[in-house]
Amino acid sequence: MLSNIYSTLLSLVCLILISSTNAVELPGNYTLPKNSSNLCLIARFDLVLNVEYTQIDGKKNISKIPLNNETFQYYDGACDLSNSHTLTLTLLDNLTTILFNFSMDEKNKTSLSRVLATVTIADNAFFPNCSKYARGIHPFVTNESLFITDRSKSYRCNAQTKIDNFKSDGNVTIKSIDLQNLRIQPFVDSSIIFHDYETGKND
Ligand SMILES: *[C@@H]1O[C@H](CO)[C@@H](O)[C@H](O)[C@H]1NC(C)=O
Ligand SMILES: *[C@@H]1O[C@H](CO)[C@@H](O)[C@H](O)[C@H]1NC(C)=O
Ligand SMILES: *[C@@H]1O[C@H](CO)[C@@H](O)[C@H](O)[C@H]1NC(C)=O
Ligand SMILES: *[C@@H]1O[C@H](CO)[C@@H](O)[C@H](O)[C@H]1NC(C)=O
Ligand SMILES: *[C@@H]1O[C@H](CO)[C@@H](O)[C@H](O)[C@H]1NC(C)=O
Ligand SMILES: *[C@@H]1O[C@H](CO)[C@@H](O)[C@H](O)[C@H]1NC(C)=O
Ligand SMILES: *[C@@H]1O[C@H](CO)[C@@H](O)[C@H](O)[C@H]1NC(C)=O
Ligand SMILES: *[C@@H]1O[C@H](CO)[C@@H](O)[C@H](O)[C@H]1NC(C)=O
Ligand SMILES: *[C@@H]1O[C@H](CO)[C@@H](O)[C@H](O)[C@H]1NC(C)=O
Ligand SMILES: *[C@@H]1O[C@H](CO)[C@@H](O)[C@H](O)[C@H]1NC(C)=O
């Protein structure tokens, strides 16, 4: 509880600190390719990154980092493989990236199949008093099978989905990546102009 309150306060402090330097607008929609009306991937969701790290006193602390117009830097991605589309979000001064790998199986079912994240820990507003053992770049990966739907359909889920199968590397762990208010169509038919998400699975 204490750490929740603390994290909330911390986030507020960070927002104020960071807003003055790099104000970036969070896109309401992640679309690939960007600036095209023929899309191969479209998504929208809220995201909170929960990172546990060791402090100099040896205790663990959890930093809850919401993706918002202050923490977000930019997004990108690739649809070059017919059965694998990737959305990459970059946040925290470009030091942290989260890569969502969507795949399509032989039955044309699509899913979020893999999440790769790279978190850079430094003694900054997000990871105060971090131990020297926690500092540096930490890669994480987890295989998933989430948001399964037909290729021609979208997936919508307003409730929170926790991605929390990341392995700890000892002094730094992604406890979870929480997604909420999600709608996704990771394999849009790019030969036709996109108008709106297809209906599909609602969770
Ligand atoms: C960020 O979003 C909040 C709430 O939507 C808004 O009040 C604030 O002005 C935005 N900041 C920037 C820099 O866009
Ligand atoms: C997101 O895309 C949909 C479909 O193109 C559009 O209706 C909606 O206005 C967009 N939302 C934002 C915030 O850009
Ligand atoms: C995409 O569109 C936005 C706004 O319309 C513009 O600022 C940006 O430069 C465009 N990007 C590319 C790669 O064309
Ligand atoms: C996180 O750090 C703050 C201040 O450093 C401390 O008050 C709080 O108890 C810590 N939380 C945990 C779970 O160690
Ligand atoms: C993050 O990277 C993008 C793209 O390379 C760049 O436009 C932006 O200025 C960078 N932001 C920071 C804070 O380094
Ligand atoms: C995404 O997943 C597909 C299928 O599992 C795989 O072929 C591809 O290499 C993955 N891409 C990344 C960047 O992990
Ligand atoms: C998957 O989609 C492709 C392209 O639309 C189609 O040719 C193929 O028959 C579909 N396969 C199945 C199992 O539905
Ligand atoms: C960092 O640790 C020092 C000494 O334990 C403490 O006084 C300070 O409040 C901590 N700072 C933060 C931001 O947690
Ligand atoms: C995760 O998926 C990748 C590619 O599909 C595979 O190479 C790897 O063995 C899987 N890892 C686990 C722990 O299942
Ligand atoms: C984690 O921190 C401890 C000291 O607290 C250190 O001995 C250990 O090597 C660190 N582990 C990793 C994987 O860095």
Side-chain angles (χ1 to χ4, degrees), residues 22 73-74 93-94:
N22 33 335
Q73 294 295 325
Y74 69 102
D93 291 341
N94 288 352

Side-chain angles (χ1 to χ4, degrees), residues 36-50:
S36 168
S37 45
N38 292 57
L39 303 180
C40 65
L41 177 152
I42 181 165
R44 81 131 340 265
F45 49 79
D46 301 328
L47 182 150
V48 178
L49 173 66
N50 295 297

Side-chain angles (χ1 to χ4, degrees), residues 148-162:
I148 302 168
T149 187
D150 288 322
R151 142 178 220 150
S152 56
K153 304 285 189 211
S154 68
Y155 195 103
R156 301 159 188 235
C157 182
N158 290 329
Q160 190 183 73
T161 302
K162 279 184 175 290

Side-chain angles (χ1 to χ4, degrees), residues 60-80:
K60 307 263 189 191
N61 214 341
I62 296 183
S63 185
K64 289 181 193 294
I65 301 163
L67 185 63
N68 58 30
N69 57 359
E70 317 288 358
T71 55
F72 174 81
Q73 294 295 325
Y74 69 102
Y75 81 94
D76 211 335
C79 296
D80 35 7

Side-chain angles (χ1 to χ4, degrees), residues 3 6 55 59-61 129:
S3 93
Y6 176 72
Q55 294 187 315
K59 293 199 177 114
K60 307 263 189 191
N61 214 341
N129 283 337

Side-chain angles (χ1 to χ4, degrees), residues 1-192:
M1 204 51 214
L2 234 175
S3 93
N4 279 350
I5 294 167
Y6 176 72
S7 301
T8 308
L9 287 177
L10 177 62
S11 310
L12 289 177
V13 170
C14 296
L15 295 189
I16 291 157
L17 287 179
I18 291 172
S19 62
S20 53
T21 50
N22 33 335
V24 187
E25 257 184 67
L26 179 69
N29 292 317
Y30 302 108
T31 58
L32 293 175
K34 288 182 182 178
N35 292 2
S36 168
S37 45
N38 292 57
L39 303 180
C40 65
L41 177 152
I42 181 165
R44 81 131 340 265
F45 49 79
D46 301 328
L47 182 150
V48 178
L49 173 66
N50 295 297
V51 179
E52 186 185 73
Y53 67 99
T54 310
Q55 294 187 315
I56 35 186
D57 60 5
K59 293 199 177 114
K60 307 263 189 191
N61 214 341
I62 296 183
S63 185
K64 289 181 193 294
I65 301 163
L67 185 63
N68 58 30
N69 57 359
E70 317 288 358
T71 55
F72 174 81
Q73 294 295 325
Y74 69 102
Y75 81 94
D76 211 335
C79 296
D80 35 7
L81 297 176
S82 63
N83 64 352
S84 169
H85 289 178
T86 300
L87 173 67
T88 307
L89 307 184
T90 300
L91 53 157
L92 305 185
D93 291 341
N94 288 352
L95 293 175
T96 289
T97 59
I98 303 173
L99 189 152
F100 296 95
N101 190 343
F102 298 93
S103 57
M104 180 163 65
D105 69 11
E106 57 290 343
K107 290 177 183 152
N108 290 348
K109 292 275 188 204
T110 68
S111 65
L112 174 60
S113 55
R114 219 166 183 219
V115 180
L116 301 92
T118 304
V119 178
T120 303
I121 305 282
D123 190 5
N124 57 24
F126 291 104
F127 309 106
N129 283 337
C130 67
S131 130
K132 66 176 175 182
Y133 300 106
R135 279 179 210 168
I137 301 175
H138 300 266
F140 298 93
V141 60
T142 173
N143 289 350
E144 299 291 335
S145 190
L146 288 171
F147 314 134
I148 302 168
T149 187
D150 288 322
R151 142 178 220 150
S152 56
K153 304 285 189 211
S154 68
Y155 195 103
R156 301 159 188 235
C157 182
N158 290 329
Q160 190 183 73
T161 302
K162 279 184 175 290
I163 298 168
D164 57 5
N165 304 323
F166 297 99
K167 272 205 200 68
S168 173
D169 79 348
N171 295 311
V172 178
T173 315
I174 294 182
K175 296 303 279 184
S176 66
I177 293 175
D178 304 339
L179 303 181
Q180 206 164 357
N181 298 321
L182 167 136
R183 44 183 64 198
I184 268 173
Q185 200 172 337
F187 288 83
V188 181
D189 182 351
S190 59
S191 65
I192 53 181

